[in-house]
Amino acid sequence: MGTTDSQAAGNNPGGNSSKKVNSQRVDYWSQLLKTVTADSDAATGWVGEVRSKATAIAQELALPSTRDEDWRFTDLSPLLDIEFSVAGAIATPGITAADVAIEEAPGSRIVFINGRHSPELSDLSALGELADKVTVSAWSAGHDSVLNATVESNLGKIQTSAEAFTALNTSAVNEVAVISVGRNADIELPIHVVFLSAGTGAIAQPRCLVKVGTNSRCTVVEEHRALEHTDDSDAPYWVNGVTEISLADNAEINHARVQRDTLTAFHIGNTAVSQARDSRYTLTSLDAGARVSRHNLAVSQKGPGTHTAFNGLNVATERQTSDTHTFLNLQHPHGTADHLHKCVANDRGHTVFNGRVFVGQQAQQTDAAQLNRNLLLSSKARVDTKPQLEIIADDVKCTHGATVSQLEDNEIFYLRSRGLDEMAARRLLLDGFVGEILERLPVQSLRSPLATAIAAQIRANS
Amino acid sequence: MIVENASTILSVKNLQAGIDGKEILKKFGIEIKAGEIHAIMGRNGSGKSTLSKVLAGHPTYEVTGGEVDFQGKDLLELEPEERSREGIFLAFQYPVEIPGVSNLDFLRESTNARRVHQGLEELDPFDFDDLVREKLDVVQMDPAFLERSVNQGFSGGEKKRNEILQMALLEPTLAILDETDSGLDIDALRIVAGGVNQLSTEKNAMLVITHYQRLLDYIVPDFVHVMRDGRIIKTGGKELALELEEKGYDWVDDLEPTLVEA
């Protein structure tokens, strides 16, 4: 079932290379664009410009189909059955701050519901004394804010609207979670950004902007999940999020991204990172939720000596499709990259991984390694993997590989020969497979609950 | 050591087993008593490793005939994990790497599975930590290896030491060492063999499977068996290993079987 395809295929970030675009997809997209833009408050000045530019780009596009190279393995047609409306504000969320808090970040949490700031669930009290070093805030178009200049100079600049869903998000951009770290600041307290979503047939478009100044360091934990975490709910909602991250010279961020939307939801997330010289970006990501999920990670190197590390895990059970596309664009010398990506598919689950690394002419002395390991747990599960390495520079060290396997008989026998029964052996191997990624999450309190939840999700139907 | 009036730990009679319909063990027999160290030598393909896997219960191998009695129990009726809990231990020729599973957690689960079966209390992480640190000395292992994933990134010698550490924790009645010496340098070999010797008592027994006589300089066997074509064709004392070393396996090819089936 697994495919390994290392050929360097053309990349079309617009995801819309086919000339024969189905008119249904054009109409659907056009209607969707109208819906989201009609809802956003009128904005003038630069915000209005950012929106109208994105709208203009989006208008030329359509809902991607599997005929688009970038969407070959991930079918978005289930969206066509739903006429989405814009997710509204929810005045009384029905949960308390304790339901979203993590112990490492008790007073450094900002929460959004359907893309709108929720002051009741947020708690930024611990950041008060760090005010000269870091600002965490919900920026809103048309309101005065000390962050106006930061947002204006970065919003939509790191992730351009060439990608269809980014254009859709930007066309109606209104509220933004902003984390701005100054120069020479070491922020030890993790900053916790929570995006909750709810609403039948509603589309929420969360937006996040992170800017880390020269020589500074911080940790950001970004969570996406349902407001009421009921996995058996059959109310489909759609999250279309964009997170932009800018790292100045020698800056460092440890970023966790955890997506656990309900199994009837749709989740499309774009994370775009710009790395100035000597900066270090680490992402540990988990995509376990949503009926169809797609995470695009695009990292762009803007100077020499950067380090980029990805640790990714996609889990697909029942009829889920869980897709991660990564693109690392290296254009300067002495960059290093380390990418471990894992996928687990059970039941009729389908995981997709596309890991593209481009090493340009100037990117000499690059040292990049990518490994994708896939675990197929049922005969009806499906794994598609496509590592892509494109190298123009001639003095580099780059490796990539992909494996697709079941739980190995030899591994199970080894554990059984040490007294563990077959169930316990399988559980331990599975925990180990996902644990290798989860243990890299920067906050410890998430690791064990996530491991338990994923184990339950995988085992539920096996 | 040969102990007078020792009880029989393992008795194998006319064992026939193979893989994918190909018979590898052909009426194999052996009897092992408490306290004894038995060595089995033979060329690659003589069936040595198959024997170890069949005794440990590897599901890929099919047993088509014969009997295996382990301390009064029909071993062939038992699942691999039951054999382990009963006191069979196989030190693997190629220990499996398990990324993401901490060596310490694995050792604790395994030790507790055996303890529960023996009617002992499970050890909590603190008590187990004390126990495992004490056992580390047996194989002179760095405690840092406990925090790492099972065998992942371990050198050949470190993997084999980890096997002997498991043996020290599980305290098996019968330990089967499957080519534990292969790929080891002399320093690692000394440490591993030293560990095995420390664990050898008059209550347990060892079945040492090896291709090379060298190991038997360090783990001195009471009996040496030579295997060819799925059965033992000659049995002797430790001097048989030296003779084999000197004359080579070509000598074995021409030997007439001197041992009748057990």
Side-chain angles (χ1 to χ4, degrees), chain B residues 48-65:
Chain B
K48 305 188 303 282
S49 277
T50 297
L51 173 67
S52 69
K53 292 201 173 79
V54 168
L55 291 179
H58 197 298
T60 309
Y61 293 84
E62 196 190 354
V63 175
T64 50

Side-chain angles (χ1 to χ4, degrees), chain B residues 217-257:
Chain B
D217 289 340
Y218 298 94
I219 302 174
V220 180
D222 302 300
F223 299 96
V224 173
H225 310 278
V226 180
M227 251 183 111
R228 191 183 76 195
D229 197 22
R231 57 197 288 195
I232 289 172
I233 55 151
K234 192 173 178 67
T235 291
K238 64 183 178 200
E239 64 288 344
L240 178 58
L242 294 167
E243 192 176 1
L244 198 58
E245 172 83 358
E246 193 185 314
K247 297 183 178 168
Y249 281 112
D250 288 341
W251 169 65
V252 175
D253 295 341
D254 303 328
L255 272 180
E256 285 301 314

Side-chain angles (χ1 to χ4, degrees), chain B residues 49-259:
Chain B
S49 277
T50 297
L51 173 67
S52 69
K53 292 201 173 79
V54 168
L55 291 179
H58 197 298
T60 309
Y61 293 84
E62 196 190 354
V63 175
T64 50
E67 296 164 30
V68 181
D69 181 285
F70 177 69
Q71 297 187 296
K73 289 210 162 100
D74 180 356
L75 193 70
L76 299 176
E77 286 297 306
L78 302 180
E79 296 293 330
E81 58 271 25
E82 294 171 319
R83 300 183 195 201
S84 167
R85 294 172 199 160
E86 287 286 343
I88 295 250
F89 178 84
L90 171 62
F92 280 56
Q93 181 176 6
Y94 302 110
V96 176
E97 295 190 13
I98 310 175
V101 175
S102 108
N103 204 22
L104 188 66
D105 290 348
F106 162 63
L107 293 170
R108 195 177 77 242
E109 283 216 33
S110 166
T111 305
N112 279 336
R114 169 109 160 109
R115 286 180 66 89
V116 167
H117 185 74
Q118 290 172 317
L120 300 170
E121 254 184 63
E122 283 194 40
L123 295 176
D124 67 29
F126 298 103
D127 289 340
F128 181 74
D129 205 55
D130 292 343
L131 176 69
V132 77
R133 274 164 205 280
E134 176 193 317
K135 301 290 186 189
L136 282 175
D137 292 342
V138 173
V139 282
Q140 300 170 31
M141 206 156 115
D142 184 335
F145 284 94
L146 297 173
E147 306 301 331
R148 292 171 53 178
S149 292
V150 179
N151 293 325
Q152 198 187 23
F154 287 25
S155 70
E158 287 157 359
K159 282 181 182 166
K160 297 297 171 79
R161 277 149 81 166
N162 205 27
E163 294 291 285
I164 306 306
L165 173 65
Q166 293 168 41
M167 179 175 155
L169 286 163
L170 294 174
E171 300 180 342
T173 314
L174 175 67
I176 304 160
L177 309 181
D178 187 7
E179 306 218 10
T180 292
D181 54 328
S182 60
L184 292 191
D185 64 42
I186 195 76
D187 296 322
L189 179 69
R190 277 200 193 106
I191 292 168
V192 166
V196 171
N197 287 331
Q198 286 175 59
L199 298 172
S200 173
T201 71
E202 59 182 40
K203 296 238 165 56
N204 62 26
M206 312 265 176
L207 181 59
V208 181
I209 291 169
T210 181
H211 189 74
Y212 306 105
Q213 182 273 336
R214 183 182 67 158
L215 175 68
L216 306 179
D217 289 340
Y218 298 94
I219 302 174
V220 180
D222 302 300
F223 299 96
V224 173
H225 310 278
V226 180
M227 251 183 111
R228 191 183 76 195
D229 197 22
R231 57 197 288 195
I232 289 172
I233 55 151
K234 192 173 178 67
T235 291
K238 64 183 178 200
E239 64 288 344
L240 178 58
L242 294 167
E243 192 176 1
L244 198 58
E245 172 83 358
E246 193 185 314
K247 297 183 178 168
Y249 281 112
D250 288 341
W251 169 65
V252 175
D253 295 341
D254 303 328
L255 272 180
E256 285 301 314
T258 57
L259 196 81

Side-chain angles (χ1 to χ4, degrees), chain A residues 134-375:
Chain A
V134 58
T135 308
V136 177
S137 167
W139 178 88
S140 181
H143 293 78
D144 277 339
S145 163
V146 291
L147 290 167
N148 271 346
T150 303
V151 177
E152 181 178 355
S153 57
N154 288 282
L155 191 72
K157 302 281 166 43
I158 303 159
Q159 173 75 324
T160 66
S161 294
E163 195 275 329
F165 293 97
T166 304
L168 186 68
N169 181 298
T170 308
S171 71
V173 65
N174 194 32
E175 289 191 44
V176 183
V178 182
I179 297 164
S180 179
V181 181
R183 295 167 66 95
N184 304 318
D186 185 3
I187 311 300
E188 285 179 29
L189 205 58
I191 293 154
H192 188 199
V193 188
V194 186
F195 294 108
L196 303 171
S197 304
T200 304
I203 178 169
Q205 302 207 87
R207 186 91 184 195
C208 184
L209 177 64
V210 182
K211 190 176 184 319
V212 187
T214 305
N215 293 325
S216 290
R217 178 166 72 167
C218 72
T219 298
V220 172
V221 178
E222 175 188 352
E223 278 196 274
H224 294 269
R225 54 188 169 103
L227 175 58
E228 289 164 310
H229 198 54
T230 47
D231 280 343
D232 56 355
S233 151
D234 27 306
Y237 61 84
W238 178 3
V239 180
N240 178 41
V242 174
T243 296
E244 293 177 285
I245 296 172
S246 162
L247 287 159
D249 290 359
N250 204 33
E252 176 175 334
I253 181 168
N254 197 341
H255 180 200
R257 183 184 185 278
V258 176
Q259 183 273 107
R260 291 185 62 215
D261 282 302
T262 62
L263 298 194
T264 49
F266 298 88
H267 186 109
I268 293 174
N270 275 281
T271 302
V273 184
S274 160
Q275 284 194 259
R277 65 174 300 153
D278 302 321
S279 64
R280 295 168 296 283
Y281 175 71
T282 298
L283 172 68
T284 303
S285 73
L286 165 67
D287 279 276
R291 174 178 174 188
V292 178
S293 87
R294 165 70 171 257
H295 181 215
N296 293 325
L297 170 67
V299 176
S300 197
Q301 188 200 37
K302 304 293 185 196
T306 56
H307 179 66
T308 311
F310 308 150
N311 310 296
L313 175 63
N314 284 74
V315 177
T317 61
E318 297 188 15
R319 288 172 181 269
Q320 286 180 276
T321 294
S322 188
D323 176 350
T324 294
H325 272 54
T326 63
F327 176 34
L328 176 59
N329 189 358
L330 297 169
Q331 298 288 358
H332 298 271
H334 297 288
T336 57
D338 198 357
H339 185 181
L340 174 63
H341 198 93
K342 291 190 163 187
C343 299
V344 182
N346 199 11
D347 313 322
R348 290 168 182 268
H350 176 199
T351 62
V352 181
F353 172 67
N354 189 117
R356 179 172 173 228
V357 180
F358 184 84
V359 184
Q361 179 63 49
Q362 302 305 315
Q364 301 292 355
Q365 304 277 316
T366 290
D367 187 344
Q370 182 190 82
L371 178 63
N372 171 225
R373 292 190 65 205
N374 299 281
L375 196 54

